[in-house]
Amino acid sequence: MNEVRDNRAEQEFTLEVDGERAVAAYQLYGDEIVFTHTVVPPAIEGRGVGSRLIRVALDSARDRGLKVVPQCPFVADFIRKHPGYRDLVA
């Protein structure tokens, strides 16, 4: 699988798989990162693409000392299922 990229200019994490692009969009406000929505194209759903994308995004937030606001239901659900990330929630 390809590498997750943080496109800071567009404020989105992206992951390309089989020519399809999954996106986790965010907005930065001071020391908070607000995840607004996640899109995984139907052609690559069910393969862990969204989870991989969000895991890297949350690890990046931790590395940057950012608090997370999980506006996106997918991100909120991921954090609920992975308690190791709950400390990031603003």
Side-chain angles (χ1 to χ4, degrees):
M1 212 178 272
N2 296 331
E3 178 183 332
V4 174
R5 299 190 186 276
D6 180 4
N7 181 346
R8 292 186 183 184
E10 297 294 324
Q11 294 194 35
E12 62 187 22
F13 285 88
T14 61
L15 176 57
E16 289 198 25
V17 177
D18 297 340
E20 301 283 343
R21 188 169 84 115
V23 175
Y26 65 86
Q27 295 177 344
L28 288 174
Y29 298 100
D31 65 348
E32 291 185 344
I33 184 168
V34 180
F35 286 98
T36 57
H37 66 275
T38 303
V39 177
V40 177
I44 56 175
E45 282 181 351
R47 295 166 52 184
V49 172
S51 293
R52 179 160 178 243
L53 181 65
I54 298 308
R55 185 179 307 277
V56 171
L58 293 174
D59 288 343
S60 174
R62 185 184 307 282
D63 291 346
R64 293 168 62 188
L66 299 171
K67 284 296 190 181
V68 172
V69 178
Q71 242 178 33
C72 168
F74 186 86
V75 175
D77 191 52
F78 183 91
I79 292 170
R80 185 181 56 76
K81 290 178 181 174
H82 299 89
Y85 290 105
R86 289 186 188 154
D87 65 305
L88 292 175
V89 177

